[in-house]
Amino acid sequence: MPKPSEQTFYLISVAFMSTYHIHIKGQIQGVGFRPFIHHLAEKHTLNGTVANSTDGVHIFINATESSLNQFTAEIKSNSPPQANIISIRISKVDNLTFNDFRIVDSIYKKVKNQYISPDFGICEECKNDLFNPSDRRYHYPFITCTHCGPRLSIMTNLPYDRSLTTMTKFRLCNNCSNEYNDVKDRRYYSQTDSCHECGVILTSETIKGDSTQQKIATTVSLLKAGYIVGVKNTGGYLLMCDATNPGAVTMLRHRKQRPDKPFALLYPDIAILEKDVYISHNAFEELNGIVFPIVLCPIKNPIYHQLCIELIAPGLNQIGAMLPGSPLLSLISSGFNGPLIATSGNISGSPILYEDDQAAILLSPITDHLLSNNREIMVPQDDSVIKFSTYPDTRIIIRRSRGLAPTYWPVSSVNSTPILALGADMKSAFAIANGENIYISQYLGDLTSFDTQHQYNKVLRHYLELTAINPEIILYDLHPDYHSSSMKEIFPEAQKIGVQHHEAHFMTGMFEHHIPEKNEPVLGVIWDGVGYGTDGNIWGGEFFSYENGIIERISFFEYFDYFLGDKMSLEPRLAAFSLCKNVENAESILKTKFTDTEWNLYTRLLAKHSGPNTSSMGRIFDGVASLLGLGDKNTYEGEAALYLEQLATEFIDSYGIHFSEYYDVTVSLDTCIETTILVRNILIDLENGIDRSKIAAKFHRSLIDIIVKIAVKYGFKHLVFSGGVFQNALLVDMIQYHLQDNFTLYFHKQVSPNDENIALGQLAWYWHQNNMI
C-alpha cells in the first residue's frame, strides 16, 4: 500500500480547518506587529491575511482549533518588545480560501479606536548598522526599522501606514523596497524605512558639506569650536553646545534668557556618562531603554570631565543626563565624544520649536548655526524626564513626553463615551477617552505663555483629528483664570463639567491602582502649589478621604494669606513673609529680604488682606527655603524647593534615612494642621544656631509625622500620594522608610505626580461619579 503524500495530509488537514477572525487591540501599530504575525503564520503553516485598522489589527486565518490555540498562545507570549496587547477576540466566520499568508491593505473605519504608539529610540541593531562601514546605511542619520524610530511625531492620521505619516513623500528606492517586501528582513513592512538614496536629507544654510557625513563632521567641529548649534531632532529643535566650554554655556544662557534653570546633558554612551555621575540600577535600565529620557543623576566628586557645573546646574549636585535616542544625535555625540548640552530649542517659557520656518526665525538670535532636515514633524515633544529616589530606587516621572506619550495602559475596564479632559495650566496636558482607549498628551508647558497656549490648541486639534473624536463631554479645572478651562467654549454642543483640582489629583492616584474597584477606605495626601478650592481659596496642602464611594476633604494645612497673586510663587520671600505673619521674632530674619519700601508696602497689604488664603504645601516649601537663606526669588518653577530638598538630602545622606527628629505640629479640633507652630519652631532652631541642613531634614521629617497623625486620627491604612510636591525624592524615600511597615502606600506609576496628571484625574473623577469604575 503506497504511503500518503504530503499533499494528501494537507488536503485532510484543510478539511478540518475553519476560518477565524482574530481582532487584537493595544499598542500594536508601529511596533512590527504585522511582520511578526506573518512570520508566526508561516511558522505554523497557516494561510490567511493580517491588516492594520483604525481599531487595531485584524487577522483572518484558516486553522484547526488546535493550531489556532497554538497560534494565539504564541501571539501573547512572543509579541514584539514594543507591543502591548490589551485584548484578543476570536470568532469563527464563514469559510474563506487563502493560498498563502500575506499582509494586506489597511482597513479604514469611520470610528477610530486604536492605541497610538509613541516615538521609539534607536534600537541596538540599527545602531550597529549606523556605525558599520560595510552597511549601506552607514552614518545615515535617519535609520530605523520595525522596532524603532518616530511614530507619534510623524503621524498625520490613523492607522499607522507610511501614506499617513510625513514619510509618505520619501519614495522607497529599489533596495529599500526589496527589504520592505522581504518577509525575512528586519525592515519587512517598516513604515519609516529609508536610506541615503531615498530618504530624509539634512539641510542647513550655514553648515557646509556636500554629503551627510560632511555636514555632521562640520557640526561636530563647530561644537568643538564653542559655537551654539540648533539641531532638528525627532520631536523638535534642540540647542547644543560644548558642556565643558564656559564661554559657550554662558552665551547659551544669555541668549536663551535662562539664568539658572539646569541644562540637560547628552553623552555618547553609558561608559562615558558613568565617569561623571552615579547611576543606580533602575536609572541604568531607564537610560538604556527604548524611551531615552533625561535621567537625573547625582554628580561624582571629583568629576571626570571638566564640566561647567555651576553654569550647567547652578547650586545643584545632580545633572539631567541622556543618551542619544535618535541616529542623528548618535552621530553627533559619537563624533564629539564628550558631554554636550542638549536643551529644548526655544526661549525660556515658550514651547519647543518644531516647524522649520519658525525655527529659522526664532532661533536665529540664539544659535550660530542651524542643522535641519526635510521631514516634517506633526507633534512637538520635549524629552521625557525621570528621577529615582535614593533608597528604594523609586521611579518618579518629572516630565512625561517623548517616548511615553500618548500611551496609557488602563487598569480598569472603561467603555467611555467620547470625553475631552482639558487638564490644568501649569504642566499642561490634556486627555481624550473614547471606548476603551485613553490618550494622554505629552507635556505642553505653562499656559500663562501665549505661545504655549497656541501650541496647546494646535496639538489638541491634531489629536482630535488623528482620533476622529468629537467630544460629547468636556471636563475642566474649576480655576476661573485657566486658559485650559476656557478651551471648553470651542465645543458648544458638548456637556461641560468642572472638576476640583485636588480631587482630580486624588482620583488619578486611585485610578492608577484601581482602588475604586476594591472599594477600600483610602487617605489622599495631595500636596502641590496651586489649586482652586471650592471655598474660593487656593488649596495645596490637602488630605482627602475616600470611603463608600465618597470623596471628602477632611484636613488641610492652616490657611495663610495668599497675596500678590502669582508673584508669590515667583518669590519665596513672600511666602515666608505671609507664613510669619503671626510668628513673633520673625522680623529680624525677614526684613533683610526686602527694601524698606517693600517692607512697608507688604506689611500694609498683609494687614488689610481679606482673601483669598492658601494652604499650599508648595508655598510652605518656598517659605521655609527662604527662611533658611536658600533663595528669595525663583528664576524657574520650584527652584527654592529644590535647594531645600537638596540641603535636607545632604544631611540624611550623612546621618541616615532613619533620622527621626521632627517639629511636633498639632492638628486642631477644626482639622487644620497648625502651620504657624511649624514655622515658629523652625525660627527657634535658626536662632539657636542649629545647622540649616538639619533644620531642612527636620522639616521633611515633620511632614511624615503629620501624615501619620492624620492617618491614625481617621483610621486609614491605605494612603495615596499626588501633587507636584511628591517629585521630591527625599520626601518619597522618607515616607516609604517610615510608613511602609504600617500602611499601604500608593505612588504614581505611569504619570507624573505634578499637574500633568490632572487630565487623567478629571476622566477618572467623571467615571467614578457615573459609576463606571
Side-chain angles (χ1 to χ4, degrees):
M1 183 176 177
K3 293 176 65 176
S5 66
E6 289 186 10
Q7 178 68 15
T8 304
F9 278 123
Y10 174 76
L11 292 172
I12 293 170
S13 64
V14 166
F16 289 95
M17 284 185 178
S18 299
T19 302
Y20 293 92
H21 172 217
I22 306 172
H23 182 195
I24 305 176
K25 291 186 176 183
Q27 183 175 288
I28 49 175
Q29 294 188 12
V31 297
F33 199 79
R34 288 175 294 176
F36 160 71
I37 293 296
H38 193 163
H39 284 294
L40 197 59
E42 288 193 337
K43 174 183 174 182
H44 289 269
T45 322
L46 299 173
N47 293 342
T49 63
V50 60
N52 272 348
S53 175
T54 48
D55 64 350
V57 166
H58 291 267
I59 303 166
F60 288 90
I61 201 159
N62 288 335
T64 64
E65 188 174 340
S66 173
S67 61
L68 174 71
N69 291 337
Q70 293 173 10
F71 180 67
T72 53
E74 197 160 350
I75 290 175
K76 296 174 185 176
S77 61
N78 291 328
S79 60
Q82 273 64 263
N84 195 329
I85 295 172
I86 296 297
S87 65
I88 299 179
R89 294 171 183 167
I90 303 171
S91 58
K92 187 182 287 189
V93 298
D94 293 341
N95 283 347
L96 299 170
T97 301
F98 302 107
N99 297 319
D100 56 13
F101 194 94
R102 63 183 60 185
I103 298 174
V104 296
D105 291 342
S106 295
I107 303 165
Y108 294 90
K109 298 182 178 181
K110 185 176 181 181
V111 176
K112 299 179 181 180
N113 197 10
Q114 167 57 32
Y115 276 85
I116 300 172
S117 295
D119 293 335
F120 299 121
I122 186 170
C123 68
E124 282 301 315
E125 291 163 301
C126 281
K127 191 178 292 185
N128 291 336
D129 293 346
L130 183 68
F131 291 104
N132 180 1
S134 64
D135 192 275
R136 71 184 189 88
R137 290 185 178 83
Y138 176 62
H139 280 195
Y140 175 54
F142 305 97
I143 187 172
T144 66
C145 69
T146 54
H147 302 303
C148 70
R151 300 295 189 262
L152 171 68
S153 63
I154 60 171
M155 286 184 187
T156 59
N157 213 328
L158 289 175
Y160 176 70
D161 287 326
R162 189 185 186 95
S163 61
L164 299 178
T165 73
T166 58
M167 287 299 295
T168 188
K169 72 177 183 179
F170 301 100
R171 186 173 180 180
L172 294 174
C173 65
N174 288 336
N175 286 329
C176 286
S177 182
N178 290 336
E179 291 172 339
Y180 183 86
N181 291 294
D182 183 357
V183 70
K184 296 181 177 65
D185 197 280
R186 189 173 94 248
R187 294 183 174 89
Y188 175 52
Y189 249 74
S190 171
Q191 304 303 307
T192 53
D193 195 18
S194 64
C195 69
H196 288 288
E197 183 180 344
C198 63
V200 186
I201 299 171
L202 290 175
T203 60
S204 178
E205 294 291 327
T206 60
I207 297 175
K208 304 304 179 184
D210 296 329
S211 69
T212 294
Q213 285 181 302
Q214 288 175 343
K215 282 187 173 69
I216 290 174
T218 303
T219 299
V220 171
S221 297
L222 290 168
L223 289 166
K224 287 182 176 180
Y227 290 101
I228 298 168
V229 181
V231 176
K232 184 181 179 182
N233 196 34
T234 307
Y237 281 83
L238 294 176
L239 301 174
M240 304 181 73
C241 73
D242 182 357
T244 66
N245 185 324
V249 180
T250 300
M251 183 59 68
L252 179 57
R253 284 210 175 275
H254 172 70
R255 293 179 181 176
K256 190 174 163 69
Q257 300 172 30
R258 183 169 171 162
D260 294 307
K261 190 175 182 180
F263 284 134
L265 300 187
L266 174 70
Y267 281 79
D269 56 52
I270 199 80
I272 295 177
L273 173 59
E274 282 188 303
K275 292 180 179 180
D276 287 343
V277 300
Y278 296 101
I279 304 174
S280 69
H281 171 78
N282 286 345
F284 184 91
E285 295 297 317
E286 192 79 52
L287 284 161
N288 284 286
I290 202 70
V291 174
F292 288 92
I294 297 167
V295 178
L296 302 181
C297 302
I299 302 168
K300 288 182 176 178
N301 188 14
I303 200 164
Y304 178 82
H305 294 98
Q306 299 302 308
L307 294 175
C308 317
I309 291 297
E310 277 306 312
L311 293 173
I312 293 167
L316 299 175
N317 57 14
Q318 64 179 9
I319 56 172
M322 62 177 172
L323 301 181
S326 70
L328 176 57
L329 291 188
S330 296
L331 291 170
I332 293 172
S333 62
S334 173
F336 190 83
N337 199 36
L340 285 162
I341 284 177
T343 187
S344 297
N346 58 3
I347 297 289
S348 287
S350 297
I352 188 170
L353 292 166
Y354 69 104
E355 296 171 309
D356 298 333
D357 292 344
Q358 273 202 326
I361 296 169
L362 297 177
L363 292 183
S364 60
I366 305 176
T367 61
D368 300 305
H369 300 275
L370 201 65
L371 183 65
S372 188
N373 63 71
N374 64 338
R375 182 174 65 196
E376 188 179 0
I377 297 171
M378 296 304 298
V379 181
Q381 299 171 86
D382 291 277
D383 295 306
S384 293
V385 181
I386 308 292
K387 184 178 187 179
F388 290 91
S389 68
T390 302
Y391 296 96
D393 212 10
T394 301
R395 182 176 187 257
I396 304 169
I397 299 175
I398 304 298
R399 185 168 72 201
R400 181 183 174 276
S401 196
R402 181 192 48 76
L404 296 176
T407 304
Y408 181 80
W409 303 117
V411 290
S412 299
S413 179
V414 179
N415 191 4
S416 179
T417 54
I419 304 176
L420 169 62
L422 294 167
D425 269 25
M426 295 293 292
K427 312 287 188 185
S428 64
F430 58 81
I432 300 169
N434 186 41
E436 299 170 338
N437 292 347
I438 301 171
Y439 311 98
I440 307 176
S441 80
Q442 68 275 25
Y443 159 84
L444 292 168
D446 178 2
L447 293 180
T448 58
S449 157
F450 174 79
D451 291 336
T452 308
Q453 292 173 15
H454 176 72
Q455 189 133 300
Y456 175 100
N457 300 351
K458 192 170 184 178
V459 172
L460 173 58
R461 286 196 302 271
H462 180 72
Y463 269 83
L464 292 174
E465 291 168 4
L466 198 63
T467 57
I469 290 173
N470 184 23
E472 298 175 11
I473 297 166
I474 308 296
L475 306 175
Y476 62 93
D477 193 278
L478 292 178
H479 200 298
D481 298 326
Y482 272 2
H483 170 78
S484 56
S485 299
S486 70
M487 287 292 292
K488 66 182 182 294
E489 303 306 330
I490 69 173
F491 302 94
E493 304 300 320
Q495 180 185 3
K496 286 103 176 164
I497 302 172
V499 182
Q500 200 282 320
H501 187 91
H502 299 94
E503 290 191 25
H505 266 306
F506 189 21
M507 282 305 307
T508 304
M510 290 199 289
F511 182 71
E512 278 205 276
H513 296 280
H514 50 88
I515 289 171
E517 296 174 11
K518 300 175 185 177
N519 198 29
E520 56 193 15
V522 178
L523 176 67
V525 185
I526 316 299
W527 293 349
D528 67 358
V530 174
Y532 193 77
T534 55
D535 60 359
N537 288 307
I538 305 301
W539 295 1
E542 313 305 310
F543 291 88
F544 287 90
S545 66
Y546 175 81
E547 200 162 4
N548 297 320
I550 298 172
I551 297 174
E552 183 182 356
R553 185 192 191 208
I554 59 172
S555 189
F556 53 93
F557 279 78
E558 177 184 35
Y559 281 141
F560 52 100
D561 294 329
Y562 187 76
F563 75 119
L564 298 177
D566 290 340
K567 186 178 175 70
M568 195 172 186
S569 63
L570 300 174
E571 299 189 19
R573 62 179 187 158
L574 297 178
F577 191 83
S578 180
L579 284 165
C580 293
K581 179 179 180 180
N582 297 314
V583 178
E584 58 278 4
N585 302 322
E587 185 173 325
S588 60
I589 291 177
L590 286 175
K591 201 164 186 180
T592 58
K593 302 177 182 296
F594 302 92
T595 65
D596 289 342
T597 301
E598 288 175 329
W599 180 265
N600 293 331
L601 173 63
Y602 295 158
T603 299
R604 289 197 302 272
L605 286 175
L606 218 57
K608 296 177 180 179
H609 185 78
S610 58
N613 298 312
T614 185
S615 57
S616 168
M617 179 56 70
R619 299 295 76 78
I620 293 173
F621 264 84
D622 281 350
V624 173
S626 176
L627 291 174
L628 295 185
L630 300 176
D632 293 326
K633 295 183 179 180
N634 286 334
T635 64
Y636 59 91
E637 185 199 2
E639 181 179 4
L642 195 57
Y643 296 149
L644 181 61
E645 175 190 353
Q646 177 171 284
L647 186 63
T649 301
E650 290 170 0
F651 180 86
I652 295 299
D653 285 346
S654 298
Y655 190 92
I657 191 68
H658 59 276
F659 177 69
S660 59
E661 288 187 48
Y662 56 85
Y663 302 110
D664 191 11
V665 178
T666 58
V667 179
S668 65
L669 293 176
D670 61 357
T671 71
C672 279
I673 296 141
E674 297 187 358
T675 315
T676 303
I677 294 176
L678 177 63
V679 174
R680 182 179 292 119
N681 286 329
I682 289 171
L683 289 173
I684 290 171
D685 270 1
L686 279 171
E687 289 173 2
N688 290 335
I690 303 298
D691 186 82
R692 293 185 312 148
S693 66
K694 184 175 183 178
I695 296 173
K698 283 179 70 175
F699 168 70
H700 280 74
R701 182 62 182 83
S702 301
L703 300 180
I704 310 303
D705 178 63
I706 289 167
I707 294 170
V708 172
K709 284 177 177 174
I710 297 296
V712 170
K713 177 178 179 178
Y714 291 96
F716 287 103
K717 287 293 185 181
H718 300 271
L719 280 58
V720 168
F721 300 89
S722 188
V725 168
F726 295 106
Q727 294 175 131
N728 183 319
L730 175 62
L731 187 62
V732 170
D733 273 347
M734 294 179 84
I735 288 169
Q736 292 184 98
Y737 179 83
H738 291 284
L739 273 62
Q740 64 185 356
D741 290 342
N742 298 309
F743 302 94
T744 303
L745 310 174
Y746 299 102
F747 294 94
H748 291 294
K749 298 293 185 184
Q750 294 192 59
V751 295
S752 174
N754 67 38
D755 279 6
E756 288 178 41
N757 79 48
I758 289 294
L760 178 60
Q762 290 167 344
L763 290 175
W765 181 92
Y766 174 82
W767 290 328
H768 175 260
Q769 293 294 315
N770 289 273
N771 300 313
M772 298 170 71
I773 56 173

